[in-house]
């Protein structure tokens, strides 16, 4: 099983080298075979908007003609206009609410129009058809037959177009049915399937695009790629020594799966803590020693997407419980487009509390709330607004008479939500609130809610950010984020700082990450670097007794032997550092 974890730095170096090779040989960049394949791919997902002029049986005619870019095989969403949508302040009409009514596929294109067959739902004269401008969720499958450098280069070209949200799969070798089943689990609109046939002088790269809902084929394209071209991609791969911070770690593990969450807890009640590593749909519990010994597993459902995990003894039985928050059941939004990672907030939010009973974990409670553990209050929660993120105040959750009950509200400065903050004590015992804002900066608030300090720069952004949905595509509502953890140890606050590859182009990824230690003197905020040189993007981290556990996806944490095989050299890394003496 391979996790195709992509490295944007690789793409930058690849692009520079390929550009040099092409220009030095007098070849136009437009003739690059991967660029041609990318352009062909994008042409089927070009944003369009038109109107239905007539309907007959299971087909209809639209006013979109050949010059608009509409192509045979494209699929569009049919919308029906409803009541007017008013500006929330001026009450002026800004458009009409559009409700998805069906899906249709282009069958014939003419100069003055096109004929489409209805795939699902219905269509009426004067309905609107659209391929929205928002990102389209795609499952990307790269067969073992494909040289990893070649497949990854195409992947990066398509991803960097900004048209798609690319979903990787851990499937290593699979048939179409398995790939499409995986795509459905991930709510992808289509599956991109790459295979390759190679010979001594050239390879044939084949791309098939299949619609997820009915397995029909949108595209089957093949390009010829010279062996020298592929060699150039391999030579451009910036393989270096392992990450520098690995030498300072007490332990280092190369995980065989893509982890995104980490925490620790005493689940057996014996005083020993176990390590929890979470993926999007699974929690794995280990004992931590010279190796990781798998003790238990908690598997979520196929539509789970775990956002947060914490531990504490919630019910007072002397053993920690697991508290997990998940965004479930991602579905088609009001614009009719498949969900992308940045707009998956159309799903239903659920938090679970699991406790160890005998040899396995059992579900003790679940609720449609955000949850986390917040010292000194314990378990706290906040409501979820569908399509909008956090709603209302943060409040306590208590365990009474065998059940979980909502408790008192927690007073916070305006705009601070459940995952944004921790309490930080000053030298005189005064309690302050340290919180991230949406720009990624840290802020310190006094007891009255007045902000008394703000970091000069942001800390690099957050792994989980979502767009708020709107009843019309004409008005944006902003974003909401799951912020990074803030830990407190002996009046020090630990915070993640991510350093982008390029300050003007943060989307390229992160060259390194750090963990900062901050403390408030009563007059100023002092800052020191606790751990530096964590290559790539730090995903999550946890305090584990006198140890710090760091989960990351480094740029240079590679397996060189995989590169020679044309396979992905990247994987999730787990570091264990000592906090003794702090």
């Amino acid at each position: 099983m391979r996790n195709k974890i992509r490295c944007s730095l690789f793409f930058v170096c690849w692009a520079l080298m390929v550009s040099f090779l092409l220009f030095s040989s007098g070849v136009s960049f437009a003739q690059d075979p991967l660029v041609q394949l990318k352009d062909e791919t994008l042409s089927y997902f070009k944003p369009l908007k038109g109107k239905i002029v007539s309907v007959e049986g299971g087909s209809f005619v639209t006013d979109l003609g050949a010059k608009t870019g509409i192509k045979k095989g494209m699929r569009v969403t049919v919308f029906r206009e409803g009541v007017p949508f008013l500006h929330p302040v001026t009450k002026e009409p800004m458009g009409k609410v559009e409700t998805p009514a069906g899906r249709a596929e282009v069958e014939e294109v003419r100069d003055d129009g096109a004929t489409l067959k209805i795939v699902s739902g219905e269509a009426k004269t004067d309905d609107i058809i659209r391929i929205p401008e928002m990102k389209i969720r795609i499952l990307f499958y790269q067969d073992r037959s494909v040289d990893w450098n070649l497949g990854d280069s195409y992947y990066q070209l398509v991803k960097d177009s900004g048209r798609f949200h690319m979903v990787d799969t851990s499937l290593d070798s699979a048939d179409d049915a398995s790939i499409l089943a995986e795509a459905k689990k991930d709510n992808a609109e289509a599956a991109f399937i790459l295979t390759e046939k190679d010979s001594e002088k050239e390879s044939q790269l084949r791309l098939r695009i299949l619609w997820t809902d009915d397995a029909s084929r949108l595209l089957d394209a093949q390009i010829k790629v010279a062996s020298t071209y592929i060699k150039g991609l391999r030579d451009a791969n910036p393989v270096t020594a392992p990450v520098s911070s690995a030498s300072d770690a007490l332990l280092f593990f190369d995980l065989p799966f893509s982890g995104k969450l980490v925490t620790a807890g005493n689940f057996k009640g014996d005083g020993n803590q176990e390590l929890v590593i979470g993926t999007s749909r699974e929690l794995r519990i280990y004992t931590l020693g010279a190796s990781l010994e798998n003790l238990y597993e908690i598997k979520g459902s196929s539509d789970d997407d775990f956002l947060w995990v914490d531990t504490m003894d919630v019910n007072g039985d002397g053993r920690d419980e697991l508290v997990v928050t998940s965004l479930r059941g991602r579905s088609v939004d009001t614009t009719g487009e498949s969900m992308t990672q940045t707009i998956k907030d159309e799903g239903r939010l659920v938090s679970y509390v699991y406790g160890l009973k005998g040899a396995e974990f059992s579900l003790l409670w679940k609720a449609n709330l955000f949850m986390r553990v917040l010292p000194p209050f314990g378990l706290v929660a906040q409501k979820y607004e569908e399509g909008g993120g956090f709603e209302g105040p943060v409040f306590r959750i208590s365990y009474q008479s065998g059940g979980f009950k909502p408790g008192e509200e927690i007073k916070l400065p305006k705009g601070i939500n459940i995952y944004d903050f921790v309490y930080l004590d000053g030298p005189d015992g005064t309690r302050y609130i340290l919180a991230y804002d949406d720009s990624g900066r840290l802020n310190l608030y006094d007891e009255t809610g007045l902000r008394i300090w703000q970091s000069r720069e942001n800390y690099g952004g957050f792994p989980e950010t979502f767009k708020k949905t709107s009843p019309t595509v004409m008005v944006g509502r902003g974003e909401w984020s799951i912020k990074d953890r803030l830990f407190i140890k002996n009046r020090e606050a630990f915070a993640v700082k991510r350093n982008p590859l390029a300050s003007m182009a943060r989307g390229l990824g992160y060259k390194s990450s750090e963990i900062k230690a901050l403390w408030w003197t009563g007059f100023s905020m002092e800052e020191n670097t606790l751990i530096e040189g964590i290559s790539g993007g730090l995903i999550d981290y946890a305090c584990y007794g006198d140890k710090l556990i760091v989960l990351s996806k480094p740029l240079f944490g590679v397996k060189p032997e995989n590169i020679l095989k044309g396979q992905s050299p990247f994987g999730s890394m787990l570091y264990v550092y000592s906090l003794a003496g702090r």
Side-chain angles (χ1 to χ4, degrees):
M1 303 291 285
R2 296 181 301 164
N3 291 307
K4 296 181 175 66
I5 302 170
R6 308 291 167 181
C7 172
S8 293
L9 180 58
F10 165 74
F11 173 67
V12 173
C13 295
W14 164 81
L16 291 174
M17 177 166 181
V18 170
S19 298
F20 170 79
L21 292 174
L22 292 174
F23 283 121
S24 64
S25 61
V27 179
S28 165
F29 184 76
Q31 292 177 304
D32 184 318
L34 292 182
V35 173
Q36 291 179 343
L37 185 60
K38 179 263 295 184
D39 290 342
E40 177 74 1
T41 303
L42 291 174
S43 70
Y44 286 92
F45 297 92
K46 178 182 178 180
L48 294 171
K49 181 180 178 181
K51 209 163 194 178
I52 296 177
V53 296
S54 65
V55 180
E56 184 175 350
S59 301
F60 62 80
V61 175
T62 177
D63 59 355
L64 296 177
K67 291 183 179 180
T68 65
I70 193 168
K71 296 179 66 171
K72 182 178 180 179
M74 279 182 167
R75 286 200 174 177
V76 302
T77 302
V78 179
F79 292 95
R80 190 153 300 150
E81 290 187 336
V83 297
F85 177 77
L86 305 180
H87 189 282
V89 177
T90 66
K91 306 304 180 183
E92 292 292 324
M94 299 185 66
K96 293 184 178 180
V97 176
E98 296 177 351
T99 304
R103 292 276 285 170
E105 182 175 314
V106 179
E107 283 192 317
E108 180 186 353
V109 178
R110 301 176 298 278
D111 289 341
D112 59 348
T115 302
L116 294 85
K117 67 174 181 180
I118 300 171
V119 176
S120 62
E122 63 175 5
K124 295 182 179 180
T125 302
D126 292 331
D127 280 349
I128 294 169
I129 64 168
R130 181 185 284 121
I131 299 179
E133 294 183 359
M134 299 170 70
K135 286 185 177 181
I136 297 171
R137 192 174 179 86
I138 297 296
L139 182 121
F140 183 83
Y141 171 80
Q142 179 177 319
D143 189 75
R144 270 184 138 176
S145 62
V146 181
D147 182 278
W148 186 84
N149 302 281
L150 184 63
D152 188 62
S153 299
Y154 168 76
Y155 174 98
Q156 292 292 350
L157 281 169
V158 174
K159 180 181 178 182
D160 291 350
S161 72
R163 191 69 186 98
F164 306 104
H165 172 67
M166 307 293 282
V167 180
D168 288 337
T169 174
S170 58
L171 294 174
D172 196 40
S173 183
D175 55 22
D176 289 357
S178 300
I179 295 169
L180 290 171
E182 188 83 358
K184 286 182 179 179
K185 288 181 183 178
D186 287 312
N187 296 294
E189 186 168 324
F192 287 12
I193 303 173
L194 272 187
T195 54
E196 180 187 351
K197 291 182 179 180
D198 61 348
S199 62
E200 184 177 344
K201 292 185 178 181
E202 67 179 22
S203 293
Q204 285 202 351
L205 185 66
R206 183 186 183 189
L207 169 67
R208 293 183 299 127
I209 300 179
L210 304 181
W211 295 113
T212 303
D213 51 3
D214 60 3
S216 64
R217 186 178 65 196
L218 168 63
L219 178 66
D220 190 343
Q222 295 189 53
I223 58 171
K224 294 181 179 180
V225 184
S227 299
T228 53
Y229 181 97
I230 299 175
K231 184 180 184 300
L233 297 179
R234 291 177 181 173
D235 292 343
N237 197 339
V239 181
T240 68
V243 291
S244 60
S245 58
S247 61
D248 300 323
L250 298 176
L251 295 169
F252 167 75
F253 300 95
D254 183 359
L255 299 179
F257 56 89
S258 184
K260 63 178 288 190
L261 298 166
V262 64
T263 190
N266 174 23
F267 305 113
K268 299 178 182 178
D270 58 3
N272 297 315
Q273 288 197 323
E274 286 80 43
L275 184 67
V276 182
I277 303 175
T279 66
S280 293
R281 302 188 183 100
E282 187 176 34
L283 298 176
R284 305 177 185 188
I285 296 91
Y286 300 89
T287 55
L288 178 61
S291 62
L292 292 174
E293 180 185 350
N294 196 321
L295 297 176
Y296 313 101
E297 291 187 359
I298 299 174
K299 294 184 182 294
S301 66
S302 62
D303 59 352
D304 268 315
D305 184 6
F306 293 157
L307 302 179
W308 191 272
V309 62
D310 258 331
T311 63
M312 72 165 288
D313 182 4
V314 177
N315 56 13
D317 65 354
R319 298 180 296 180
D320 284 342
E321 282 73 47
L322 271 165
V323 180
V324 189
T325 296
S326 175
L327 199 58
R328 296 191 60 187
R330 288 174 281 169
S331 60
V332 176
D333 69 2
T334 55
T335 68
E337 181 182 8
S338 290
M339 305 306 291
T340 73
Q341 183 173 355
T342 57
I343 60 168
K344 61 187 178 184
D345 47 355
E346 281 295 310
R348 182 167 57 94
L349 188 97
V350 183
S351 286
Y352 310 92
V353 179
Y354 292 98
L356 184 62
K357 291 187 176 181
E360 61 182 24
F361 279 84
S362 298
L363 180 64
L364 305 181
W365 187 55
K366 67 177 180 179
N368 300 120
L369 299 166
F370 293 102
M371 286 190 197
R372 67 168 286 197
V373 174
L374 175 68
F377 292 102
L379 188 62
V380 298
Q382 188 175 12
K383 292 181 180 179
Y384 168 67
E385 176 194 355
E386 185 172 329
F390 307 103
E391 181 181 31
V394 178
F395 55 92
R396 297 182 67 175
I397 296 287
S398 61
Y399 186 82
Q400 302 173 8
S401 304
F404 293 86
K405 309 291 183 184
E408 64 178 306
E409 294 182 2
I410 297 174
K411 185 178 179 181
L412 295 169
K414 184 178 179 180
I416 294 181
N417 293 300
I418 186 170
Y419 301 120
D420 298 353
F421 72 103
V422 290
Y423 290 100
L424 177 65
D425 290 338
D428 60 353
T430 301
R431 176 172 291 173
Y432 300 89
I433 292 174
L434 182 67
Y436 285 110
D437 59 28
D438 289 336
S439 73
R441 294 189 178 192
L442 279 171
N443 302 265
L444 191 71
Y445 300 86
D446 65 14
E447 293 177 306
T448 68
L450 177 68
R451 187 175 68 189
I452 58 176
W453 171 84
Q454 183 181 59
S455 61
R456 292 185 178 180
E457 59 181 0
N458 71 57
Y459 273 58
F462 310 107
E464 298 274 9
T465 298
F466 310 81
K467 286 185 179 178
K468 297 179 180 180
T469 57
S470 172
T472 174
V473 297
M474 299 175 64
V475 179
R477 297 179 58 206
E479 298 177 339
W480 60 278
S481 299
I482 305 294
K483 307 297 196 300
D484 288 310
R485 296 181 194 269
L486 293 166
F487 282 104
I488 302 296
K489 188 175 180 66
N490 299 329
R491 287 189 44 241
E492 283 186 315
F494 299 161
V496 174
K497 174 74 165 60
R498 297 183 181 89
N499 304 306
L501 282 170
S503 59
M504 299 301 293
R506 293 182 178 273
L508 292 178
Y510 301 100
K511 62 184 177 183
S512 65
S513 301
E514 307 168 59
I515 297 180
K516 297 289 189 179
L518 303 97
W519 64 98
W520 179 247
T521 66
F523 303 97
S524 64
M525 185 69 77
E526 301 296 322
E527 180 184 286
N528 189 22
T529 300
L530 181 65
I531 299 174
E532 63 182 1
I534 303 170
S535 186
L538 189 153
I539 309 168
D540 197 11
Y541 71 115
C543 287
Y544 181 97
D546 63 352
K547 296 179 178 63
L548 193 70
I549 313 297
V550 174
L551 184 64
S552 72
K553 293 183 179 178
L555 290 176
F556 304 119
V558 300
K559 298 177 181 178
E561 67 274 13
N562 281 12
I563 298 168
L564 300 177
K565 301 174 184 177
Q567 297 178 5
S568 170
F570 302 101
S572 300
M573 311 308 231
L574 190 75
Y575 300 91
V576 182
Y577 296 91
S578 175
L579 291 178
R582 296 195 75 86

